[in-house]
Amino acid sequence: MTRAFHPRTRFRQADNRLWIGGRPAVDWADALGTPAFVYDRQMVARRVDRLRAALPERVALHYAVKANPFGPLLAHLAGLVDGFDVASAGELERVLPHRRPGQPVSFAGPGKRDAEIAAGIRAGIAFNAESEGEILRIHRIGAGLGRRPRVALRLNPDFVLKASGMQMGGGPQPFGIDAERAGAALGLVERLELEFAGIHVFAGSQNLDAGAIAEALDATFELGRRLVEENGRSLPEFNLGGGLGIPYFPGQAPLEPEAVGNPLRHLIERHADWLADTRIVMELGRFLVGEAGVYLTRVVDRKVSRGHTILVTDGGMHHHLALSGNLGQVLRKNYFLALADRLEGPVETVDIHGPLCTPLDIVGKGVELPWAGPGDVLAVFQSGAYGATASPQQFLSHPAPVERLV
Ligand SMILES: Cc1ncc(COP(=O)(O)O)c(C=O)c1O
């Protein structure tokens, strides 16, 4: 059986090989060593351009550093996006050397420690406060530093973002202040004489359903209007979150940016009366960088066990937890995989495991690949976001992956 190679990838396929940044992927594996994450800078730039073309011009684009905090990538993105969102003082430290003058940084995330708040205040960034208690702490720490912190309210909406890979709004949540308490929290910000920076709603991530996203945006604008009307305060900034997903598995269709941009344009027109002086922001991670990264791992061993051909690779869940199905997936599915220098040919069905001593370390199950053995390089697509940064790298004390922006 011969199989034509057809995973959903924008990387070049020519001479039966995979190419990354003008060079065969196997050359990168030889030059860098494996396992390695290779990110394509042009692909990131094209993605941002494409999204900007589809979104209303006044929507500012912020990059959520948690998706991939690799320094050279942050430096590249600093020239492409309008701001950054960080989730820890560690991410802040990574961003500060790269951000352009005047480029805003916001700090969202539950459980900000006092030292992290102090670091944020010193850096002059805005906080997306996750609770009223956090507002009090930001005030206290700011007073100690003789500074007036900037505080936006992250609101836990009274709706859910349907069809999300991860839901982060609606019901009881560690994320954000319940929308019903928004007025009270705003009152607290004013009483404490903090600088009010606006509101932030992040209801979920990894969403491929444009209709569900549009519905959540609609509800988010209604929430914003209510807060403005009930409190007579305009919003300096209105951060809509995002949650735009990418296809990881066969059968998933990509989200077209226009399918989000067009409804958003209508919403901004409909709500223009209370948004005149408001900076509108979308905050995205994986949609900007996820498709631009490939994880390269080399086959170390090949064996047959009770009739199953098993390939064992030098990379696995310690670098790429999501690939193994252990980052929030209910049912594990295979990522798009390919042999880097034999994209097509007679195929066999194999199971692929990483090197960890746990049955959880699955790279692929029942995958159809051309014959592969020790030394061959496997490419895992859609690996630009939540790869190295979201994986238990210390587990079994294997080396960290190499990362390279090309
Ligand atoms: C507050 C916040 N912003 C942005 C993101 C980025 O999400 P994504 O990478 O899916 O765009 C997340 C993800 O969890 C988040 O919690």
Side-chain angles (χ1 to χ4, degrees):
M1 182 176 32
T2 297
R3 175 175 159 261
F5 176 71
H6 188 62
R8 197 185 300 285
T9 174
R10 296 174 211 277
F11 286 94
R12 181 166 171 241
Q13 301 150 47
D15 307 328
N16 207 15
R17 316 178 102 183
L18 177 73
W19 297 69
I20 307 175
R23 211 173 152 183
V26 281
D27 283 11
W28 288 117
D30 291 344
L32 301 173
T34 55
F37 285 93
V38 185
Y39 313 115
D40 183 320
R41 66 170 61 238
Q42 281 184 13
M43 215 178 272
V44 173
R46 281 200 296 270
R47 184 70 157 175
V48 173
D49 282 352
R50 167 100 168 78
L51 181 62
R52 280 200 192 275
L55 291 180
E57 211 176 317
R58 69 177 283 193
V59 174
L61 214 51
H62 285 197
Y63 174 62
V65 174
K66 59 173 71 68
N68 191 331
F70 182 53
L73 186 63
L74 296 179
H76 182 45
L77 280 158
L80 301 171
V81 299
D82 304 303
F84 291 95
D85 165 65
V86 299
S88 70
E91 287 189 354
L92 176 62
E93 222 171 277
R94 286 176 181 240
V95 158
L96 287 179
H98 303 296
R99 79 153 152 169
R100 304 283 163 94
Q103 209 164 37
V105 178
S106 54
F107 186 172
K112 300 177 187 74
R113 287 170 292 137
D114 287 5
E116 296 187 295
I117 291 173
I121 294 172
R122 281 195 207 94
I125 64 167
F127 294 92
N128 292 327
E130 308 276 345
S131 72
E132 289 163 77
E134 190 175 289
I135 295 173
L136 289 166
R137 281 197 300 128
I138 293 170
H139 170 256
R140 175 173 53 74
I141 296 163
L145 293 169
R147 302 280 278 269
R148 183 175 178 232
R150 282 195 295 137
V151 177
L153 306 176
R154 177 173 180 182
L155 299 181
N156 170 26
D158 42 8
F159 59 85
V160 295
L161 173 49
K162 291 177 200 146
S164 286
M166 280 189 207
Q167 264 176 8
M168 302 171 73
Q173 290 287 350
F175 315 110
I177 297 163
D178 292 344
E180 313 79 271
R181 295 286 305 168
L186 176 56
L188 181 61
V189 167
E190 288 180 334
R191 265 199 317 288
L192 297 173
E193 296 183 353
L194 296 163
E195 184 182 334
F196 176 54
I199 63 172
H200 173 226
V201 176
F202 190 89
S205 85
Q206 181 45 24
N207 202 308
L208 290 167
D209 183 338
I213 294 173
E215 203 178 292
L217 284 172
D218 189 282
T220 302
F221 275 78
E222 288 306 329
L223 182 58
R225 175 193 288 285
R226 225 183 310 143
L227 189 72
V228 167
E229 286 179 354
E230 286 172 9
N231 297 280
R233 277 291 303 250
S234 63
L235 304 180
E237 190 161 295
F238 186 27
N239 186 330
L240 306 169
L244 279 57
I246 61 172
Y248 284 102
F249 310 116
Q252 290 185 326
L255 184 63
E256 297 304 329
E258 291 75 16
V260 177
N262 292 339
L264 182 53
R265 185 167 292 108
H266 291 131
L267 279 169
I268 291 175
E269 282 164 15
R270 203 166 89 217
H271 290 266
D273 54 321
W274 60 273
L275 285 171
D277 301 319
T278 300
R279 183 170 184 268
I280 301 173
V281 178
M282 279 195 103
E283 177 177 291
L284 300 173
R286 83 181 77 220
F287 193 79
L288 303 184
V289 299
E291 297 197 334
V294 179
Y295 180 57
L296 298 175
T297 174
R298 217 179 265 281
V299 178
V300 176
D301 195 12
R302 175 188 170 105
K303 61 191 256 190
V304 176
S305 171
R306 305 215 161 106
H308 283 250
T309 299
I310 298 177
L311 304 176
V312 184
T313 52
D314 59 5
M317 71 180 278
H318 54 310
H319 297 159
H320 205 327
L321 189 65
L323 165 69
S324 71
N326 292 295
L327 191 66
Q329 296 95 324
V330 180
L331 289 175
R332 188 192 172 280
K333 294 185 195 135
N334 291 330
Y335 269 50
F336 300 112
L337 307 169
L339 262 191
D341 67 349
R342 269 195 310 291
L343 293 179
E344 49 188 61
V347 294
E348 59 176 355
T349 301
V350 296
D351 291 339
I352 310 167
H353 283 260
L356 303 193
C357 301
T358 159
L360 300 178
D361 193 5
I362 298 169
V363 173
K365 273 266 183 219
V367 182
E368 287 187 350
L369 278 185
W371 192 98
D376 281 323
V377 175
L378 192 76
V380 180
F381 299 101
Q382 311 298 69
S383 297
Y386 304 105
T389 186
S391 302
Q393 291 191 39
Q394 302 287 316
F395 191 27
L396 257 69
S397 302
H398 283 290
V402 178
E403 291 182 272
R404 182 65 68 91
L405 178 71
V406 302

